[in-house]
Amino acid sequence: MVQSNEKNEDQLMTKRISELQEWLKSQPQLPQNISRLLLRRFLHTTRNDLSAAQRLLELNYGLRNKHAHIFIDRDPLDDSSQQLLKVADLVPLPGLTPENNKLLFYRLIDFDADKFNFTAAIKVFFMVADCRFATENEERLSDGEIPVFDMAGYTLRHLTKTALGALRVYMKFVQEAHPVRLKEIHVINCPSFVDKVMAVVRPFIKGEVFKLIHFHLPDSETPYRHFPRSMLPEEYGGEAGKMSDLKQQWMQLLKEQRDYLMDSKNWQINKIKKNGQRKSSDSAVTQSLRSLEID
């Protein structure tokens, strides 16, 4: 019976992907080269609701174009990205939790706040996500995602580096336009001033998302009530391998997917001219965003 249900779900997903591709042809302002793999993720996120997937696609690409300095004008090998990757780890961990969720791990490895660029961190975060969505080949996607933020080494000087504009874009995108189902958020090794950190970010967090956040004191065992310790890197007592090795795999993948990430044709909204040709322009983006009522 389980195999039969899975087969039916797979058949429905295949059908919905084809329907979403047909709809995409009627939306020439959107990129026309979105892969079936990526369309599957949008449908998976909306539980095969075609209309919801269409709205999510429009919002996703609309926000990307409104904030092109983060989502389009980017290069995983430029100086700011490489510098960020020297001071921080942003690594999706292998495997899935017993509840079929994906763990994503974020931490500082160089605690010098002067080397930390908040906007670069946001850009790299989304490049890693876009790279993952374009290459994931699991037969079945995770049911949801669980980001884990390790605050070890984070100081009040790091907090002063927060670019509120980039923070606002990040929060809006991950809460409204990111094709993932957010299940929980874990903040480990919380410092004594975590309340000051939350005072900065709380205005940008929706109430239902704030309820997903779990705070854990240093050396606490409480995170492992939510996910197995074994899924973490060796440095945290897990069995996922060394963080440096896991990170290297993702840095290599970013390099391999550089052209995909940097090609504006994959991300830009296009203006439709009277003769049916497409032309990218800021005015076209503005018009599209108005129709989506994006702030």
Side-chain angles (χ1 to χ4, degrees):
M1 180 65 71
V2 173
Q3 289 182 344
S4 177
N5 288 338
E6 289 182 353
K7 182 178 180 180
N8 290 336
E9 290 177 4
D10 290 342
Q11 290 175 341
L12 177 59
M13 175 61 78
T14 300
K15 179 174 181 290
R16 287 285 185 263
I17 293 174
S18 296
E19 290 173 341
L20 194 53
Q21 282 186 310
E22 285 302 310
W23 170 82
L24 196 58
K25 292 176 183 177
S26 69
Q27 306 296 317
Q29 77 279 9
L30 292 173
Q32 295 296 299
N33 56 349
I34 304 175
S35 70
R36 288 180 66 89
L37 192 64
L38 186 52
L39 293 178
R40 178 184 71 152
R41 169 161 283 280
F42 279 89
L43 284 162
H44 177 76
T45 301
T46 60
R47 301 189 186 279
N48 272 332
D49 185 323
L50 184 60
S51 295
Q54 292 168 353
R55 292 193 296 272
L56 186 60
L57 266 168
E58 290 178 316
L59 183 57
N60 182 290
Y61 284 89
L63 278 174
R64 287 179 186 276
N65 281 263
K66 185 176 182 181
H67 305 288
H69 67 292
I70 289 177
F71 295 102
I72 298 178
D73 302 328
R74 58 187 185 174
D75 180 355
L77 298 184
D78 67 14
D79 291 343
S80 62
S81 296
Q82 289 297 300
Q83 171 66 18
L84 186 280
L85 289 167
K86 290 179 182 177
V87 302
D89 291 335
L90 300 88
V91 179
L93 298 180
L96 298 173
T97 70
E99 296 77 26
N100 198 42
N101 294 318
K102 186 77 172 175
L103 292 183
L104 310 141
F105 204 92
Y106 308 101
R107 70 170 187 173
L108 291 171
I109 51 176
D110 185 328
F111 300 159
D112 184 349
D114 290 333
K115 297 179 182 178
F116 181 72
N117 183 315
F118 185 86
T119 302
I122 299 303
K123 295 180 73 167
V124 171
F125 173 93
F126 287 119
M127 281 192 280
V128 171
D130 287 337
C131 186
R132 180 163 64 98
F133 297 162
T135 58
E136 57 194 353
N137 55 10
E138 297 95 337
E139 288 186 11
R140 310 197 70 80
L141 297 177
S142 64
D143 187 60
E145 306 209 336
I146 300 176
V148 180
F149 297 92
D150 182 358
M151 293 194 69
Y154 188 87
T155 66
L156 287 173
R157 288 190 64 214
H158 285 93
L159 184 60
T160 65
K161 297 286 185 176
T162 303
L164 293 181
L167 175 63
R168 182 175 182 272
V169 172
Y170 170 80
M171 288 297 186
K172 186 173 184 64
F173 195 92
V174 297
Q175 293 177 100
E176 299 180 23
H178 210 31
V180 302
R181 302 175 193 157
L182 195 58
K183 293 293 185 175
E184 296 175 349
I185 302 169
H186 292 275
V187 185
I188 65 174
N189 292 317
C190 288
S192 59
F193 56 86
V194 68
D195 58 323
K196 293 181 173 62
V197 178
M198 294 312 299
V200 173
V201 302
R202 181 65 179 91
F204 303 97
I205 304 176
K206 292 185 174 183
E208 62 268 27
V209 174
F210 189 77
K211 294 176 182 178
L212 302 177
I213 303 177
H214 301 265
F215 299 95
H216 307 278
L217 294 173
D219 302 318
S220 174
E221 295 293 315
T222 54
Y224 313 119
R225 299 173 186 170
H226 302 270
F227 53 82
R229 183 197 289 266
S230 61
M231 291 191 64
L232 296 182
E234 291 178 5
E235 294 89 333
Y236 295 82
E239 302 172 5
K242 294 181 179 179
M243 178 65 89
S244 58
D245 293 338
L246 297 171
K247 180 178 183 178
Q248 185 57 44
Q249 294 173 18
W250 282 98
M251 290 184 69
Q252 179 61 31
L253 199 56
L254 283 171
K255 183 177 180 180
E256 292 172 1
Q257 295 296 316
R258 184 188 185 204
D259 289 345
Y260 167 75
L261 294 170
M262 294 180 64
D263 189 347
S264 61
K265 294 187 180 70
N266 294 325
W267 315 107
Q268 277 188 337
I269 287 177
N270 299 290
K271 181 179 180 180
I272 309 303
K273 299 173 70 175
K274 289 184 178 180
N275 61 7
Q277 294 179 342
R278 289 179 297 173
K279 180 179 180 181
S280 300
S281 73
D282 291 338
S283 60
V285 171
T286 302
Q287 182 179 4
S288 177
L289 293 176
R290 281 203 198 98
S291 68
L292 292 171
E293 298 181 352
I294 299 175
D295 296 332

